[in-house]
C-alpha cells in the first residue's frame, strides 16, 4: 500500500539535522560537549535541582540505577507485568528476582492496593511504570516504600513530559527516574535515555558505571597534578554512554518537547471527541488537571464490538492504518512464564486489559487528514462488525 499510515514516526526537523552535522564536523563524536549540554538542559527542563545523566538507552539507565541501589542475587524487585520487557529484564541482569503486581484496570498502572501483600523480607525496590504517559498514583506507592524501606525507580519511558499532583515526573520524592529516547518515544535520539536523580551517591555510581567503572572524581582529581592520560577503574563497569551525535538530536528535540506535548494532547482530545459513543473504552484521563504525555493512545474494544482484537488490527491495516498493542503482559511471554511458573490468570487485570487493547497512531507528524483517516477507519471497522451481528441476530 503506497498510502499506508505507519503506527509511529519520529519528528526530525532541519534543526536536528544541522546539529548532527555540526557534531560530525566538530571532530568530537562520542560523549563530549554536546552530551554535557544535553544533560544540563535536560536537568533544567525537569527542574528541582535534579542531576541528569545521559545513557545510550532507557534499558541501560534502569540497569545502572538498580546496580547503584545495590540490587543483587537474593533480592526482589516489584513491578507491573503491563510493561515492556526491559523494565524487568534488567532485574534479572543483576541476578535478582521479579515480583509482579497486577494493574488497576482503569489506569493500567501498578495497583498500589496490591503492592503491600507482595512485599517480603527480600524486597528491595519498586519500579512503577507510567503507562502511555499517565502518571501512576505515586503517593501511596511512596508511602508504602517509606514504610518498608524500599527504593523507587520510576520507569518514565513514556512520561516526558507528564505530571503527578502537578509536579513533573522526574521531580517526585523517589530515588531515580529514567526516560527513553527510543525512536518511537515522545522525544528521540534514535537510541538513548536519561537518568534523573537528586541522590548524589546514585548519580556518582551511575556516572562511573556507565563508562567502564572509571571514576571521574579520581580522573578530575588527578588531572590537576598528573598527566591527562591517567584514570582509575573502581569497578567492572558497562559501556552505556551516549554519543554526542545522539545528544545533538536530543538537544533540538528537547526544545520541542512542550510543543510536541501540546500537539499530542490536541490529537488525543480529537480522538476522545470523535470516537465517543463507539463500542470502545477510551484511554483514562489524568486527574486534578495533571498533564498526560500521550505517548500512546490505547483504546479497548468493548464486548459489544463483535470482533477480535486481531481482526480489528487486520481490518485497520486493510484500510491503510498501522496499529499496535501495548503491552503483551510479561507473564504471557515464554521466558517470564517459565521463570516464575506464571499463568495468564495470575494477573487477571493485565490479561484482560491486553486481550482487547489496540494502540492507535498518535504522533506529531500526523496531519489532521491522517487523523481523520484513522477515525473514519475505526468507525468503519466497528460499524461493519456491529451491523453484521445485528443482522445475524435478526436473521435467526
Ligand atoms: C521503550 C521502553 C523502555 C526501554 O527504552 P529503551 O530506551 O528502548 O531502552 C523501557 N520501559 C518502557 C515502559 C518502554 O516503553
Amino acid at each position: 500500500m503506497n498510502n499506508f499510515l505507519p503506527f509511529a514516526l519520529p519528528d526530525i526537523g532541519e534543526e536536528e539535522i544541522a546539529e548532527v552535522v555540526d557534531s560530525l564536523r566538530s571532530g568530537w563524536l562520542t560523549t563530549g560537549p554536546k552530551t554535557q549540554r544535553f544533560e544540563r538542559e535536560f536537568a533544567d527542563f525537569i527542574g528541582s535541582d535534579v542531576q541528569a545523566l545521559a545513557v545510550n538507552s532507557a534499558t541501560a539507565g534502569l540497569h545502572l540505577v538498580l546496580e547503584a541501589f545495590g540490587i543483587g542475587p537474593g533480592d526482589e524487585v516489584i513491578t507491573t507485568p503491563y510493561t515492556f520487557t526491559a523494565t524487568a529484564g534488567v532485574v534479572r541482569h543483576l541476578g535478582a528476582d521479579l515480583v509482579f503486581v497486577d494493574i488497576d484496570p482503569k489506569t493500567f498502572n501498578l495497583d498500589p492496593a496490591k503492592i503491600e501483600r507482595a512485599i517480603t523480607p527480600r524486597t528491595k525496590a519498586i519500579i512503577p511504570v507510567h503507562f502511555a504517559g499517565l502518571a501512576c498514583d505515586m503517593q501511596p506507592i511512596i508511602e508504602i516504600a517509606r514504610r518498608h524501606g524500599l527504593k523507587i525507580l520510576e520507569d518514565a519511558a513514556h512520561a516526558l513530559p507528564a505530571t503527578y499532583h502537578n509536579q513533573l515526573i522526574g521531580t517526585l520524592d523517589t530515588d531515580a527516574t529514567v526516560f527513553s529516547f527510543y525512536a518511537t518515544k515522545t522525544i528521540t535520539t534514535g537510541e538513548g535515555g536519561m537518568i534523573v536523580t537528586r541522590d548524589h551517591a546514585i548519580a556518582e555510581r551511575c556516572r562511573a558505571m556507565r563508562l567502564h567503572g572509571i571514576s571521574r572524581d579520581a580522573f578530575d582529581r588527578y588531572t590537576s597534578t598528573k598527566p591527562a592520560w591517567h584514570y582509575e577503574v573502581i569497578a567492572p563497569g558497562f559501556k552505556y554512554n551516549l554519543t554526542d551525535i545522539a545528544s545533538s538530536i536530543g538537544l533540538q528535540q528537547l526544545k520541542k518537547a512542550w510543543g510536541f506535548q501540546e500537539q499530542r494532547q490536541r490529537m488525543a482530545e480529537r480522538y476522545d471527541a470523535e470516537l465517543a459513543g463507539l463500542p470502545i473504552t477510551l484511554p483514562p484521563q489524568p486527574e486534578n488537571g495533571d498533564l498526560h504525555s500521550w505517548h500512546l493512545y490505547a483504546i479497548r474494544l468493548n464486548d459489544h464490538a463483535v470482533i477480535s482484537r486481531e481482526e480489528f488490527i487486520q481490518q485497520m491495516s486493510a484500510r491503510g492504518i498501522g496499529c499496535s498493542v501495548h503491552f503483551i503482559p510479561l507473564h504471557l511471554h515464554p521466558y517470564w512464564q517459565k521463570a516464575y511458573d506464571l499463568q495468564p490468570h495470575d494477573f487477571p487485570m493485565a490479561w484482560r486489559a491486553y486481550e482487547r487493547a489496540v494502540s492507535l497512531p498518535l504522533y506529531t507528524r500526523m496531519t489532521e487528514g491522517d487523523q481523520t483517516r484513522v477515525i473514519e477507519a475505526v468507525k468503519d471497522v466497528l460499524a461493519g462488525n456491529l451491523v453484521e451481528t445485528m443482522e445475524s441476530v435478526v436473521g435467526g
Side-chain angles (χ1 to χ4, degrees), residues 12-13 15-38 54-56 181 188-193 241-253:
I12 298 295
E15 303 83 357
E16 285 83 348
I17 293 167
E19 194 75 53
V20 167
V21 170
D22 180 66
S23 277
L24 292 175
R25 290 197 203 285
S26 76
W28 199 279
L29 302 183
T30 184
T31 311
K34 292 277 176 84
T35 304
Q36 282 180 2
R37 231 177 83 205
F38 185 34
V55 283
N56 58 15
F181 311 135
T188 186
T189 60
E191 298 278 1
N241 55 305
L242 192 68
T243 69
D244 265 22
I245 300 171
S247 293
S248 303
I249 307 173
L251 275 168
Q252 296 301 325
Q253 289 271 291

Side-chain angles (χ1 to χ4, degrees), residues 155-314:
D155 180 338
H158 299 183
L160 186 78
T163 65
Y164 175 72
H165 289 181
N166 286 306
Q167 283 182 276
L168 212 50
I169 294 301
T171 66
L172 304 184
D173 200 6
T174 61
D175 299 280
T177 304
V178 173
F179 297 92
S180 172
F181 311 135
Y182 181 67
T184 59
K185 300 283 158 72
T186 53
I187 75 166
T188 186
T189 60
E191 298 278 1
M194 194 72 81
I195 301 169
V196 161
T197 183
R198 280 198 214 92
D199 185 312
H200 293 291
I202 290 171
E204 278 325 295
R205 180 69 181 179
C206 291
R207 204 185 302 282
M209 293 303 279
R210 77 176 162 181
L211 194 67
H212 306 295
I214 291 172
S215 161
R216 278 284 179 81
D217 275 352
F219 184 79
D220 290 343
R221 205 165 52 242
Y222 280 106
T223 43
S224 56
T225 51
K226 295 207 173 180
W229 51 263
H230 193 268
Y231 58 86
E232 284 183 330
V233 173
I234 57 159
F238 306 102
K239 189 72 203 292
Y240 284 165
N241 55 305
L242 192 68
T243 69
D244 265 22
I245 300 171
S247 293
S248 303
I249 307 173
L251 275 168
Q252 296 301 325
Q253 289 271 291
L254 187 63
K255 288 195 183 35
K256 304 176 182 178
W258 287 114
F260 283 165
Q261 192 282 333
E262 279 168 29
Q263 260 178 287
R264 286 178 175 274
Q265 170 105 28
R266 269 201 304 277
M267 296 174 80
E269 282 165 8
R270 181 164 176 225
Y271 274 144
D272 288 344
E274 302 217 29
L275 300 178
L278 295 174
I280 56 178
T281 304
L282 299 177
Q285 298 291 329
E287 290 178 7
N288 319 311
D290 267 315
L291 196 72
H292 192 314
S293 76
W294 292 108
H295 164 55
L296 298 173
Y297 192 88
I299 61 167
R300 260 82 196 162
L301 303 176
N302 291 352
D303 294 342
H304 316 298
V306 188
I307 183 170
S308 74
R309 185 261 314 279
E310 287 72 9
E311 181 67 13
F312 179 89
I313 291 176
Q314 160 70 39

Side-chain angles (χ1 to χ4, degrees), residues 57-59 83-84 86-87 129 155 157-158 180 182 185 192 327:
S57 71
T59 307
T83 186
F84 185 56
T87 315
V129 178
D155 180 338
H158 299 183
S180 172
Y182 181 67
K185 300 283 158 72
F327 283 104

